[in-house]
Amino acid sequence: MAAPEAWRARSCWFCEVAAATTMEATSREAAPAKSSASGPSAPPALFELCGRAVSAHMGVLESGVWALPGPILQSILPLLNIYYLERIEETALKKGLSTQAIWRRLWDELMKTRPSSLESVTCWRAKFMEAFFSHVLRGTIDVSSDKRLCDQRFSPLLHSSRHVRQLTICNMLQGATELVAEPNRRVLETLASSLHTLKFRHLLFSDVAAQQSLRQLLHQLIHHGAVSQVSLYSWPVPESALFILILTMSAGFWQPGPGNLPCRLCGEASRGRAPSRDEGSLLLGSRRPRRDAAERCAAALMATRRKSEVKQVPRAVPTTRVTRRSTQESLAVGGTDSKRELNPPATSYEASSTKQPSSGPAATSSASSSTSSKRAPASSASQPKPLKRFKRAAGKKGGRTRQGSGAESEDLYDFVFIVAGEKEDGEEMEIGEVACGALDGSDPSCLGLPALETSQRFRSISTLELFTVPLSTEAALTLCHLLSSWVSLESLTLSYNGLGSNIFRLLDSLRALSGQAGCRLRALHISDLFSPLPILELTRAIVRALPLLRVLSIRVDHPSQRDNPAVPENAGPPSHIIGDEEIPENCLEQLEMGFPRGAQPAPLLCSVLKASGSLQQLSLDSATFASPQDFGLVLQTLKEYNLSLKRLSFHDMNLADCQSEVLFLLQNLTLQEITFSFCRLFEKRPAQFLPEMVAAMKGNSTLKGLRLPGNRLGNAGLLALADVFSEDSSSSLCQLDISSNCIKPDGLLEFAKRLERWGRGAFGHLRLFQNWLDQDAVTAREAIRRLRATCHVVSDSWDSSQAFADYVSTM
């Protein structure tokens, strides 16, 4: 009897706490009704009035509301604002109540956007709060405009921050400054533990203050937080300093100003044991600094890009020497001085040379003035040589004027791209002293930038994605240098970045990374418009450089540009990249390749397949072979060397003349899923080929999924496939995709009747997208109703009038 008594007590309490406000609420509701021209409306129910009163006084009644019985609480939940609705979630679950429908309604009414059809929303509360956080941060939603969003007792950012798993920063870095402000310190601390993915979209040119804020934000979220993925999308003209900032911080590097620590957490950590020099070198992936190779690489790159300008300048003009110390100090930009400029001046070589005195001794004195108190000056007998600069990336705005004598050495752009340093014995080295042959790709260590070895190393991300972000030579050099020691990186995506000949530097850096102890890179996705290497040679080079890779996805839209005059002469493929030696055995489990037009050499593809004995999934998109025999050679290689292959996919390939090879695949007893997408399978001899195909499938007991979208199957082909599910079949097919196959409602209905006649149980999923089911809606509905008794049907309401050409071809 104790439980019912408690229930009645709570119910009475609910009525008592609401009674004081019910009469007032009733009078407010009734007053407008009397003066309404359309007549009085139905007054709210007493229970609803009580619920409104309780929700309006949740600040006082919250603990009592949590103790209410489930039936009463269920009626109050829709009346709460988002803050109390979020706080009461755990209590509601304990009482067997769900708030998902309420959060979904809030999404529809307040966000006014429809989630993608490809997105499966598992928790509408988390999705709403994450979107709400982003809107409040960008100022695109007014919380005072709706009482469900406004409550003076709660901070919108703080209350929703713990639900944020993915944060997007757009345009002029909106939101970065607000998050690092002192009033939002708790918000940032919460984000550091909840945020996993950080995205940048459509970035524009930003000022120094915004970059300083972003620097602090990345330090908190990546170095001291849980962010594991950074993605950049659609940045047509990347700003060099900002791009380098995002990359270096993502890789875990931090170079604070002299005597300054980046944040409070770093200050607490510094009171413990500091890492030794050897430990710092191990974090970078090597104990021995690679200075000389880095200098050769930088000098060669500068000589290549500034060749025409150098010819116009007398060699007798002296230059300023850049010491290792000044290079290290240049990385400190942004640590403490918000007035430092992060972009280089767009000055030509002649303009920079006019700043130097004409006499050699004077120039030497001026160059060493900033470091004479710390280092002994170089020998006066040595003749200074011109200092060369990288040109600003194409499309950049003009240079900005910097103030102060030390601004040039403190520039982040100069730190990365004017690389010079001291030799192992401490002697200064000038950039002009090195040869220009360091970019031949023979030495992966030439990608090293020595100043990073003195930076503090923190936690780094494991997934980096660059989508439609053109990489200049400077940006590619920075990325390659970071990759060579980025041992925590597990997945790398480079999509349409215009790498060009920089792909060779990328391969060298990946080879260097693969040699590092603890390398975790297991997934690589590369896609681009052009490639200086044919796609199969590029695939071979990647597999050789990364033998532990598990997932490789590579796509090139257009043929190799080896004869393109825009490609530098020295940018050809080095011999160690396109060697003809046998590919060693690798660990590839998934290989996806998108080919450009033109016939592909089957032996090269077979060599990759032979070395990939662990391959489980293979996808070939737009592949063309010289003859059906070449295609058969590939399939025979799969049968002999890839015994673990489970999934095989062909897309946009003309297999009309390869019907015997297709039958060979369907008889393979190791494959579990086969996809022929837009492969023109039934273009020739359909009357003879379909029965042969059905017979092969009926005898295959291991094949679970068959996808045939876009092959003009038609009603006749669909009815022929129905025989696969007959009583005398040993097929285990449970997934069938017949989308975009010119199927009409009457043919689908007959297909459903045959499945019913044979009495086969539910066989899984049937996909019917983009077929002509709108020609007879009644028959289509009847067919789908019958099919749903045997399988899960997925369809759409497609307008078949768009496919008149396909209709004519199947008449």
Side-chain angles (χ1 to χ4, degrees), residues 584-658:
E585 187 175 353
N586 59 73
C587 300
L588 269 185
E589 297 178 355
Q590 179 178 338
L591 176 61
E592 300 177 1
M593 303 181 67
F595 295 86
R597 63 180 182 275
Q600 303 298 325
L604 287 182
L605 178 57
C606 291
S607 66
V608 176
L609 297 177
K610 289 179 181 179
S612 307
S614 302
L615 196 64
Q616 299 180 13
Q617 182 173 339
L618 175 64
S619 175
L620 302 180
D621 188 348
S622 306
T624 304
F625 298 98
S627 65
Q629 289 74 23
D630 281 359
F631 183 55
L633 177 63
V634 174
L635 300 184
Q636 187 65 34
T637 303
L638 290 175
K639 182 178 181 180
E640 295 179 4
Y641 292 89
N642 305 105
L643 303 180
S644 301
L645 191 65
K646 298 294 186 293
R647 295 180 177 85
L648 184 60
S649 174
F650 301 103
H651 174 74
D652 195 16
M653 295 173 58
N654 186 2
L655 301 182
D657 295 322
C658 303

Side-chain angles (χ1 to χ4, degrees), residues 512-791:
L513 174 62
S514 179
Q516 299 283 354
C519 173
R520 303 178 188 174
L521 186 61
R522 296 296 182 267
L524 178 62
H525 307 266
I526 297 180
S527 57
D528 220 328
L529 292 174
F530 301 97
S531 170
L533 274 178
I535 183 172
L536 287 175
E537 291 186 11
L538 180 58
T539 304
R540 285 165 53 92
I542 292 175
V543 172
R544 277 200 298 262
L546 297 168
L548 298 180
L549 203 64
R550 300 295 179 85
V551 178
L552 174 60
S553 175
I554 181 169
R555 169 181 293 275
V556 178
D557 293 345
H558 299 283
S560 171
Q561 296 295 300
R562 281 182 174 174
D563 299 328
N564 188 352
V567 179
E569 294 180 1
N570 63 341
S575 58
H576 70 284
I577 290 182
I578 60 169
D580 295 330
E581 68 273 9
E582 190 108 355
I583 303 178
E585 187 175 353
N586 59 73
C587 300
L588 269 185
E589 297 178 355
Q590 179 178 338
L591 176 61
E592 300 177 1
M593 303 181 67
F595 295 86
R597 63 180 182 275
Q600 303 298 325
L604 287 182
L605 178 57
C606 291
S607 66
V608 176
L609 297 177
K610 289 179 181 179
S612 307
S614 302
L615 196 64
Q616 299 180 13
Q617 182 173 339
L618 175 64
S619 175
L620 302 180
D621 188 348
S622 306
T624 304
F625 298 98
S627 65
Q629 289 74 23
D630 281 359
F631 183 55
L633 177 63
V634 174
L635 300 184
Q636 187 65 34
T637 303
L638 290 175
K639 182 178 181 180
E640 295 179 4
Y641 292 89
N642 305 105
L643 303 180
S644 301
L645 191 65
K646 298 294 186 293
R647 295 180 177 85
L648 184 60
S649 174
F650 301 103
H651 174 74
D652 195 16
M653 295 173 58
N654 186 2
L655 301 182
D657 295 322
C658 303
Q659 293 179 349
S660 60
E661 288 75 15
V662 171
L663 294 176
F664 175 80
L665 274 177
L666 294 175
Q667 295 168 355
N668 190 323
L669 297 181
T670 63
L671 291 174
Q672 297 180 0
E673 183 179 306
I674 302 179
T675 299
F676 298 102
S677 175
F678 296 89
C679 289
R680 303 164 65 175
L681 282 182
F682 311 109
E683 188 174 282
K684 297 181 179 180
R685 300 175 55 250
Q688 294 80 17
F689 176 59
L690 270 170
E692 296 174 348
M693 179 177 174
V694 170
M697 294 175 60
K698 291 174 68 174
N700 192 332
S701 60
T702 60
L703 188 64
K704 307 296 182 182
L706 179 64
R707 305 180 187 275
L708 300 171
N711 284 285
R712 300 183 179 181
L713 189 63
N715 282 358
L718 178 62
L719 296 180
L721 282 181
D723 196 38
V724 175
F725 306 97
S726 61
E727 297 176 351
D728 61 342
S729 173
S730 59
S731 171
S732 303
L733 196 67
C734 58
Q735 294 186 6
L736 180 63
D737 187 350
I738 50 175
S739 302
S740 304
N741 268 296
C742 311
I743 296 173
K744 301 178 183 178
D746 55 342
L748 187 63
L749 180 60
E750 181 62 26
F751 178 75
K753 290 180 179 179
R754 293 192 181 186
L755 292 184
E756 291 178 344
R757 185 183 316 130
W758 287 317
R760 291 292 295 267
F763 69 86
H765 290 72
L766 178 66
R767 298 174 64 88
L768 296 170
F769 291 109
Q770 296 186 355
N771 280 298
W772 299 347
L773 304 183
D774 61 331
Q775 293 185 357
D776 188 347
V778 176
T779 304
R781 284 195 296 269
E782 175 64 17
I784 292 177
R785 185 189 66 81
R786 289 172 175 262
L787 286 171
R788 283 176 175 164
T790 58
C791 61

Side-chain angles (χ1 to χ4, degrees), residues 191-197 220-222 224-229 459:
L191 281 180
S193 60
S194 66
L195 193 66
H196 294 161
T197 302
Q220 292 286 337
L221 297 181
I222 297 177
H224 296 299
V227 171
S228 59
Q229 175 178 334
R459 176 187 174 274

Side-chain angles (χ1 to χ4, degrees), residues 7 31 62 79 110 140 192 208 217 228 260 284 320 328 364 439-440 447 453 536 546 562 625 666 714 746 767 784 787:
W7 192 93
E62 182 177 9
L79 305 175
L110 299 176
T140 55
V208 177
L217 180 64
S228 59
N260 295 310
L284 289 166
T320 300
Q328 294 172 6
T364 304
L439 289 181
D440 61 355
L447 301 174
E453 296 176 8
L536 287 175
L546 297 168
R562 281 182 174 174
F625 298 98
L666 294 175
D746 55 342
R767 298 174 64 88
I784 292 177
L787 286 171

